[in-house]
Every structure is written in C-alpha cells, then in structure tokens.
Amino acid sequence: MLKRLTPRHWLALILLVTLLGRVAFLVLFGDSLALNASGYDVYAVNVMDGHGYTRFDDRSGDSDLPPLYPYFLVAVYSTLGRDPIAVAAVQIVFDLITVTLLYLIGRRVAGEAVGLLTGAFYGLYPYLLFQNLSVNDTGIFILLLTVGIWLAYRVRDTERWPYAVALGIAFGVAALTKTFVLLTLPMLALWWWRSANFRMALRNAVLAGIAVVLVIAPWTVRNIRLQHAFVLISTNDGSNLHQGNNPCVADYLARGWDAQWVNCLGEQPEGLSEVEASMWHRDRAIDYLRDHPGDWPHLFFTKFWVLWTPVLMPYEIPPDADMDDDAVLEYHTASFEAARVLHVLTFAPLLLLGLIGWVLAARAHLPIGPLLAVMAAVTIAYLVFHPSTRYRAPADPFLFVLSAYAVVRIWMQVSKRRIGISSIIKG
C-alpha cells in the first residue's frame, strides 16, 4: 500500500503529522506558553490601547524592536483574543505552509524524495515544534525566508522579473523582523550570475533590491521622524553588538550562559536618547574589538561553536545574571532538561548528515547556492552580534535539505549493495 502512495499523498501525510504533533503539544504543554516570553507583547498591547508603537507607558513611540511581529500580534489579539494559544494556532498554519515550501525547494534541488524528507524533518523537528509555537518571531521569519528562497529558485528557472519583485517583497517584510535577511540578497545575486548570466543576475537583483527598499521605507521614514536620526529598522543593534563583543562574553558563552546576561558593559551615561544609547553601545563594542585583536580567535570560535553546537544554548544561568524577569529559571525544570537531551539526539545526526549532504551535493553540482546563502547569512550575523540556538533556528530548515539528500544517497548506496550481494548469492 505504501508503494502506491503518490508524492502528494506523502506530502499530505507529512502535513497531517506536523499538524497533529503541534496540536498534541498544545494539549500537553500549552500552559508553558506565555505572552511575556518576549518583549513583543507589550508593544502589541500599547498599539491596541492607542499609545503607539512603544514599550514605555510614558512615550508615544520607540524603535527598539522591529515592528512586524508586534503588529502580527495585534492582528491575532484583535481577532482571536490575547491568548498564547491563539498565537500558536496561527503559527501552526505558518508551519504547514513552510513544510510545503520546503518540499518544493528540496524537490527542486534533488528530487521528490529529498523534498518529502526535508518537509518531514522540519515538521518533526522537536526544537522548532516548541519554538514556533511560542510568542516569538521565529516561525513567521522562517516562513518569509522560505518564501524568499523558493522564489530565488523560481527566478533562476524562469528568469521572470515578477518573481524577483516578489522575492524582494518577502525579504523586505522579513527584514522588519530580522534585518540580517538582507545579507542573503547579494549572495543570491552571485548564485544567479554563476548559474545563469550576469545580465539576468543584475536585473533581478536590482528589482528585488528596489522592492525591499519600498517595503521598509515607510518604517524607516517613521523612525527618522521619531528619532530625528537615520534608523533603518530598529535601534537594538548597538546593544546587541556590545553584548556580543566585550571582555567577558566569550567566557559567558563558553559556560553555557547567554550573552544578554553579561554585566561587564559598564554604566551607560544618563540622559542619552534611544539613538545615542545605541551609538554608545556600538562605539564600546568597536573599541573593544579594535583594542583587543588577540581576543578575536577565542571570541569568534566560541560564538561559532555556540551557534552550531547540538547542545541547546544557553543551558545555564550565571550567578550574577542581569535579567529582567525569572522566566529563564525554567531552564532548570525537568521538561527543559529532557528537551536538551532530545535536541542533541535529533540535531546532532541532522547536522552530521547535512555536512555529508553538502559534500555530496557539491560533488554532484546540485543547485545548493540559496541554501548556503541562508546558512552563511545566519553565521555571519551572529558571529558579529551574539549567538544562541534560537538565533540559528532559521538556518536549520535549509540544512535539512542537505540532510535529506545525504539520507537519500546513503539509502541508494545501501540498496545497490544489497542488490549486488543478492545477485552474487543467486549466481
């Protein structure tokens, strides 16, 4: 019976399992979801209360966090109520769309089996099952990123400019969540050039770039008017840069602590505006990097390890942690400890298979450029700033394409050997 199933049937089955797994999570662990798990909820509430886009009660606006996810929460709260289960329900739909797109991407790269396995890996991956149901922007960002990568393949295959414009729109909207997505566009242009021709690559890269600018321009204009300075999307880049580049962060990360808890940044001068505070942090980070080049190997190797290790990061709380609330104390609960073991058991083999798949796909000259572009952009961004498992998560689905390819190739080799052995025995 299984042999009679078509790829559409398999995809439907994968989508069903993806849905049931997430529903089961909500039934069993829905009470672990919280609206205050991130800073986005307060923005959404203030917008709905007519206070503007701000996290403060005494201000009419700020630019600390990118705006897409808070406004998504406004839409959910306005229609379904202010409830983490309602948010999770909508984000389940995002995951189902993402599974379908990953199937299409995997199929484009290496065939039906790779597409189906990629969708299954994503749908069954335990870490994203939890992460994408939480009140944070990971699920919606991965969806937009996946849309953009699928469109990048469509641009290459059809050379039609509407796909390039659509890609730019998708990346522009995604940039209103995580700005580093813009790093992938020049990498995609390079892939278009190498796999097609320079004229096509230049035309479509320019069109995609114009679309990106048009999408983010209204928010940039809003920021300029509010801050009286140029702020592309948000002002949290300065503090994030400083948290990831200072004398104690490498030791924090090496001990399994989060860079956001560092307390060696020094006292920020009083009376600084939001933009001035961001610039102060940025200058301190640049000064540290300039004055301590000998720290670079340890610092950046530690960041790279924390970003890509199968160990769920962070996994410990420093005794002098600079925390706004006690939510992180959940790291020491039995469920979180079990989740850490499960993450190692799932991501470690997928990572190993992904590395094998990368080598095999490169030797076979498969079109993996867009996949590598995402992984490179994620790696560069969080080597510059500061890493954690959550920040690496957007790269995981594209690693899974390579993991799926490795599984298919290994299975093919095993099948050939079995046939060969069987032939020898019968002969």
Side-chain angles (χ1 to χ4, degrees):
M1 180 179 177
L2 291 178
K3 290 183 178 180
R4 293 198 297 268
L5 292 178
T6 67
R8 284 190 177 184
H9 293 144
W10 279 112
L11 178 60
L13 182 60
I14 292 168
L15 290 170
L16 178 61
V17 173
T18 299
L19 173 62
L20 293 178
R22 280 150 177 75
V23 171
F25 179 89
L26 292 182
V27 172
L28 296 174
F29 306 107
D31 57 353
S32 68
L33 302 177
L35 293 172
N36 63 352
S38 64
Y40 300 111
D41 174 71
V42 66
Y43 279 94
V45 170
N46 280 331
V47 169
M48 294 177 68
D49 290 344
H51 302 313
Y53 187 83
T54 180
R55 66 192 189 281
F56 302 107
D57 295 333
D58 59 346
R59 296 187 193 176
S60 60
D62 73 68
S63 307
D64 185 62
L65 289 181
L68 179 65
Y69 194 70
Y71 280 107
F72 161 73
L73 291 180
V74 169
V76 174
Y77 293 173
S78 300
T79 54
L80 302 177
R82 184 170 173 255
D83 188 318
I85 301 299
V87 176
V90 178
Q91 291 175 175
I92 288 175
V93 177
F94 292 165
D95 273 354
L96 295 175
I97 299 172
T98 300
V99 166
T100 304
L101 289 169
L102 287 171
Y103 157 71
L104 295 174
I105 291 171
R107 185 180 68 175
R108 167 63 179 85
V109 171
E112 291 282 0
V114 171
L116 291 170
L117 269 178
T118 302
F121 286 161
Y122 182 86
L124 298 175
Y125 184 43
Y127 178 75
L128 286 180
L129 187 152
F130 162 75
Q131 185 68 23
N132 287 3
L133 297 188
S134 302
V135 183
N136 69 72
D137 58 9
T138 305
I140 193 171
F141 179 76
I142 289 177
L143 170 60
L144 292 166
L145 184 57
T146 308
V147 169
I149 296 303
W150 176 73
L151 288 168
Y153 282 107
R154 297 301 297 158
V155 169
R156 170 61 187 86
D157 293 341
T158 68
E159 299 189 9
R160 294 181 58 193
W161 65 265
Y163 286 116
V165 173
L167 186 157
I169 294 172
F171 276 8
V173 176
L176 296 174
T177 298
K178 297 183 185 296
T179 314
F180 80 79
V181 69
L182 301 180
L183 292 174
T184 61
L185 188 54
M187 299 182 201
L188 293 175
L190 179 61
W191 178 67
W192 289 331
W193 179 12
R194 293 189 60 184
S195 62
N197 59 76
F198 177 77
R199 182 176 180 180
M200 185 277 279
L202 179 62
R203 180 193 66 193
N204 288 298
V206 169
L207 289 173
I210 292 173
V212 167
V213 171
L214 292 177
V215 169
I216 66 176
W219 189 253
T220 302
V221 171
R222 174 263 185 193
N223 285 336
I224 293 172
R225 290 178 174 176
L226 176 67
Q227 305 292 349
H228 305 291
F230 181 79
V231 176
L232 182 64
I233 293 174
S234 63
T235 56
N236 64 353
D237 61 311
S239 59
N240 283 329
L241 187 67
H242 197 189
Q243 288 168 353
N245 300 277
N246 59 73
C248 65
V249 68
D251 291 335
Y252 264 64
L253 294 173
R255 295 181 183 183
W257 300 345
D258 196 298
Q260 296 182 79
W261 299 332
V262 297
N263 63 355
C264 62
L265 303 184
E267 290 293 330
Q268 177 182 310
E270 296 182 2
L272 297 182
S273 68
E274 190 176 338
V275 173
E276 291 169 342
S278 180
M279 292 177 62
W280 181 86
H281 282 290
R282 189 182 307 120
D283 290 343
R284 300 290 82 71
I286 294 173
D287 289 345
Y288 165 74
L289 291 172
R290 184 190 61 227
D291 297 339
H292 300 85
D295 292 352
W296 289 18
H298 177 52
L299 174 66
F300 291 111
F301 174 80
T302 302
K303 288 184 181 182
F304 183 85
W305 169 256
V306 168
L307 186 65
W308 285 101
T309 178
V311 178
L312 202 57
M313 300 293 288
Y315 60 80
E316 188 54 84
I317 305 169
D320 55 353
D322 182 12
M323 299 181 292
D324 294 330
D325 56 56
D326 295 331
V328 293
L329 297 179
E330 294 182 359
Y331 288 162
H332 289 300
T333 62
S335 58
F336 266 75
E337 294 299 335
R340 295 184 188 287
V341 175
L342 183 60
H343 185 263
V344 172
L345 294 177
T346 52
F347 184 69
L350 286 168
L351 177 61
L352 178 60
L353 287 168
L355 293 173
I356 295 171
W358 183 356
V359 173
L360 295 175
R363 288 179 178 177
H365 303 290
L366 295 182
I368 60 174
L371 313 179
L372 300 181
V374 174
M375 289 184 276
V378 169
T379 302
I380 292 169
Y382 294 113
L383 287 183
V384 172
F385 293 95
H386 56 83
S388 73
T389 302
R390 180 169 73 89
Y391 297 149
R392 188 205 66 230
D396 290 349
F398 305 96
L399 172 72
F400 295 165
V401 179
L402 301 176
S403 306
Y405 179 66
V407 170
V408 170
R409 285 288 302 273
I410 292 170
W411 178 258
M412 291 173 60
Q413 290 298 322
V414 170
S415 298
K416 286 181 181 179
R417 289 182 181 180
R418 286 179 177 176
I419 293 173
I421 294 172
S422 178
S423 300
I424 292 173
I425 293 174
K426 290 180 179 179

